Amino acid sequence: MRTTKTTRLLLLSGVATVALMGPAMALDAQAFVDRIAEVYRPLGYDFTFGAAALDGDTITVDGGTVTIVSSPDAAMEPLTFDTEVTFTGVVENADGSYTAESVTIPDIDTDFAEEPAGHLTLSDVRVDGFYLPAGNPAPSIGLLQLFQSFSTGPLSLTRDGEEVFSFESMASQSTFNPSFATTELTDLASTFLISGMSADLTSVAEEDPAAGATIEALGLTSVTGEIYMEMSWAMADGHMDVTALTFDFDDVGALDLTFDITGFTPTVLDQIYAMQAAMGTGGEPTEEQAQAQMMQGMALMQGVNIVSASIRYDDASLAGKLLDFFAAQSGADRATFVEGLKAMLPAMLAESGIPALNDLVVPPVSAFLDDPQSLEVKVAPPSPTSLLVLMAAAANPAGLITALGLAVEANQPVD
């Protein structure tokens, strides 16, 4: 009796061990990289990978090629990468999805063009928390969770040996509720930052002498700055709030975009991806197909509502330099040139046929021309308004201004 119990315990232990080892034993390196290609193809990335090898729960891929497809009929030149990509902590889940603890790529140092000679270096590329959702096509709720964080160290692009663009680092990070890589995602928050950007625009003159001369006159031959984005997104009501999308250039100016919308749910995203997939097959659509696509697009817009949006420019010298530059070209001093612009504004707006624009635009733009600090255009409908309703309101531009809650402000502090 004791022997029988012992035997049964050993058998149960063996079954448990096999069950625990199952995911790692079931891993197939080629199936994993094939799944990467499948998941990213609808997003516009066409991957072809080199040989893939498995060692425990680590998969290494010997380079490959990626082609970015911007539309069904347009694709960029394929970019070949010969560096080894390492996926560590890979797990194949019961539903057919995959996760990996991290993805690392050795430092890149490669030529990408011959005439003119182009060279790229990029270091410290890393992804933490990598996810390949199940499904064919993969649902948008999974595509929103492809990674938890992505970062790189310095990048440098050179043209004929001269650096034309660089940055110190790039980083993107997202948090997911209730957890990462789940089909029960309720909301997420993301940030993105490119810091220490530097662009040398002196080479523009080689392609366009007139533009190069303007860039030099404005003192823009060397530009530095950063790009920053911050957003949150709730899945149930599709509430997406982009609180910052900022392009900030030192001693030049900063452009900041924000928008707050509702109704942009994963279901809407799934429908958009399905429309894109349908448009990518069968060549040029028939008139009936085009009308059906338009109706489907209008139905989607019916459910997406604008809560608010804004675009704001804060000047750090560019506006003043532009006024000085064009004043000199016209043969006038800056004050005279500005007064001329202000006098022209009402006539220019009158051509739009919307009298209400005059009172809305002339005072703030005139104030900005007199003292360039900031200029902001804001939209804040009295209540969240669907894109389809706004399109209908566009037939009456004066009514559209009211429907949008349109406002223009100059030289006001940030809210």
Side-chain angles (χ1 to χ4, degrees):
M1 189 73 173
R2 186 177 299 168
T3 303
T4 302
K5 288 184 178 180
T6 302
T7 302
R8 290 173 66 184
L9 285 172
L10 287 172
L11 285 172
L12 288 172
S13 298
V15 170
T17 301
V18 170
L20 291 171
M21 293 176 63
M25 293 175 64
L27 275 179
D28 180 279
Q30 189 58 49
F32 176 74
V33 296
D34 287 346
R35 186 59 189 160
I36 295 175
E38 290 171 358
V39 168
Y40 279 83
R41 190 174 293 113
L43 302 177
Y45 299 92
D46 190 358
F47 280 104
T48 301
F49 291 103
L54 175 66
D55 181 10
D57 63 357
T58 297
I59 294 176
T60 55
V61 181
D62 189 13
T65 301
V66 59
T67 304
I68 299 176
V69 182
S70 56
S71 72
D73 301 317
M76 296 176 61
E77 287 293 320
L79 175 64
T80 299
F81 53 98
D82 56 7
T83 53
E84 185 178 79
V85 183
T86 302
F87 300 84
T88 58
V90 180
V91 174
E92 180 179 6
N93 301 302
D95 64 353
S97 64
Y98 292 88
T99 57
E101 292 177 1
S102 65
V103 186
T104 54
I105 301 174
D107 292 351
I108 299 170
D109 189 343
T110 184
D111 295 326
F112 64 88
E114 294 182 359
E115 187 58 42
H119 191 82
L120 178 148
T121 61
L122 178 63
S123 62
D124 301 329
V125 181
R126 182 181 180 91
V127 174
D128 286 300
F130 181 76
Y131 180 47
L132 295 174
N136 190 21
S140 60
I141 201 78
L143 297 178
L144 296 176
Q145 305 176 76
L146 293 178
F147 63 85
Q148 285 181 293
S149 66
F150 168 78
S151 61
T152 79
L155 172 141
S156 174
L157 288 174
T158 62
R159 183 178 188 269
D160 289 335
E162 298 293 329
E163 187 172 75
V164 294
F165 179 77
S166 66
F167 61 66
E168 294 175 0
S169 64
M170 177 168 61
S172 177
Q173 186 163 356
S174 298
T175 56
F176 303 93
N177 186 35
S179 62
F180 173 62
T182 175
T183 57
E184 306 302 322
L185 180 68
T186 60
D187 57 85
L188 63 85
S190 298
T191 59
F192 174 78
L193 173 66
I194 300 178
S195 61
M197 285 196 312
S198 178
D200 184 348
L201 304 181
T202 54
S203 61
V204 172
E206 298 178 19
E207 306 293 336
D208 189 338
T214 302
I215 288 172
E216 185 172 359
L218 294 174
L220 299 176
T221 53
S222 179
V223 178
T224 60
E226 68 175 29
I227 298 174
Y228 177 72
M229 185 276 292
E230 183 174 351
M231 65 162 288
S232 62
W233 195 350
M235 303 297 107
D237 60 357
H239 185 189
M240 177 189 287
D241 188 8
V242 177
T243 53
L245 177 53
T246 305
F247 303 82
D248 190 357
F249 297 98
D250 302 327
D251 302 320
V252 175
L255 187 68
D256 189 30
L257 293 84
T258 68
F259 61 89
D260 187 352
I261 61 175
T262 62
F264 196 50
T265 63
T267 300
V268 171
L269 262 183
D270 284 333
Q271 292 173 319
I272 291 173
Y273 289 141
M275 286 178 60
Q276 291 175 336
M279 291 170 62
T281 60
E284 192 71 22
T286 65
E287 184 176 346
E288 292 78 10
Q289 289 172 330
Q291 289 178 347
Q293 290 168 358
M294 182 179 70
M295 293 300 293
Q296 189 175 359
M298 292 175 68
L300 289 176
M301 287 189 291
Q302 175 64 37
V304 179
N305 301 301
I306 293 180
V307 178
S308 64
S310 70
I311 178 168
R312 177 186 174 99
Y313 172 71
D314 286 277
D315 188 56
S317 77
L318 180 60
K321 289 178 179 179
L322 284 169
L323 290 172
D324 289 337
F325 176 76
F326 288 113
Q329 283 197 327
S330 69
D333 60 66
R334 176 168 161 177
T336 303
F337 180 73
V338 166
E339 289 303 315
L341 286 178
K342 290 162 59 178
M344 291 168 57
L345 268 176
M348 294 169 61
L349 292 171
E351 294 180 2
S352 70
I354 311 173
L357 278 179
N358 194 74
D359 293 339
L360 186 70
V361 173
V362 170
V365 172
S366 297
F368 179 77
L369 290 171
D370 285 332
D371 181 18
Q373 297 180 38
S374 69
L375 188 64
E376 184 173 10
V377 179
K378 299 193 291 187
V379 169
S383 60
T385 307
S386 78
L387 297 177
L388 191 59
V389 168
L390 292 176
M391 286 182 63
N396 175 17
L400 180 60
I401 292 174
T402 303
L404 285 171
L406 182 66
V408 182
E409 297 179 349
N411 304 338
Q412 296 298 312
V414 179
D415 292 339

